[in-house]
Amino acid sequence: GLDCRYLASHLTHRKFHVLSITTIATPHRGSAFADHFLSTVGPARMPSILSLLDLLPNGGGDGKAFESLTIESMRQFNKDTPDVPGVRYFSWGAVYEPGLIDTWKWPHSVILEREGPNDGLVSVESSKWGTYLGTLQSVNHLDLVGWTNTARYKWAEMMGKEIK
């Protein structure tokens, strides 16, 4: 979502016209969890955390994503990346209630306290940009980006609450 907004606003020498942009659970105003995570972990411990995140299928990156998604960084991004006249902007948000033992318990609780309902990483309020089309129910941020947790799906099935 943010990359599409950037493309429309800054990469203007192209052979096509952007007519509309629709974003899903995009942190247009940042994420309180990015701020919280950076202040909790601190610069000295960041390399250790990133080495753990490198064990994930898509790796952990260099930590710049956390810095880029703070509330202040996104304020600057929005100032530097204005909406383009003639482009229609639409957005969707998402909400998710983590279970007792859930990957998203910590980030969800931080965002819930500071910003309200969220998908585990992005609040509904931060996801609103342009015409807000609605809130997707019972999906976390990784569901939305295609990182499925097979254990979660199997557990839900065993509990009679199959996820479709």
Side-chain angles (χ1 to χ4, degrees):
L2 298 173
D3 50 351
C4 291
R5 287 182 48 215
Y6 185 90
L7 168 97
S9 186
H10 297 287
L11 305 178
T12 56
H13 299 290
R14 54 184 179 259
K15 295 180 181 182
F16 59 90
H17 298 285
V18 177
L19 300 176
S20 70
I21 295 173
T22 301
T23 62
I24 302 172
T26 297
H28 297 287
R29 289 167 189 80
S31 174
F33 185 69
D35 292 274
H36 180 77
F37 182 81
L38 289 171
S39 67
T40 300
V41 171
R45 290 191 304 254
M46 185 60 83
S48 298
I49 297 297
L50 293 175
S51 68
L52 287 174
L53 294 176
D54 275 335
L55 300 173
L56 296 173
N58 288 341
D62 59 5
K64 297 295 182 196
F66 291 109
E67 294 171 17
S68 297
L69 297 175
T70 64
I71 291 169
E72 186 53 42
S73 291
M74 286 310 303
R75 267 192 205 110
Q76 189 61 48
F77 176 87
N78 291 332
K79 182 179 169 187
D80 296 342
T81 309
D83 286 354
V84 176
V87 175
R88 297 181 66 199
Y89 294 84
F90 303 94
S91 59
W92 290 87
V95 293
Y96 174 74
E97 287 299 324
L100 183 61
I101 301 171
D102 194 300
T103 308
W104 300 111
K105 193 80 167 165
W106 180 38
H108 182 275
S109 66
V110 169
I111 297 167
L112 185 64
E113 180 182 307
R114 297 178 186 182
E115 298 180 62
N118 65 86
D119 67 2
L121 284 180
V122 179
S123 71
V124 169
E125 286 307 308
S126 186
S127 68
K128 292 179 179 180
W129 198 264
T131 301
Y132 189 67
L133 299 174
T135 305
L136 303 170
Q137 301 293 316
S138 303
V139 290
N140 68 42
H141 201 74
L142 289 190
D143 291 334
L144 294 169
V145 298
W147 285 19
T148 58
N149 178 342
T150 54
R152 178 175 155 244
Y153 282 77
K154 189 64 177 170
W155 179 256
E157 181 184 325
M158 289 170 28
M159 299 305 293
K161 298 177 181 179
E162 186 176 1
I163 300 169
K164 297 180 183 190

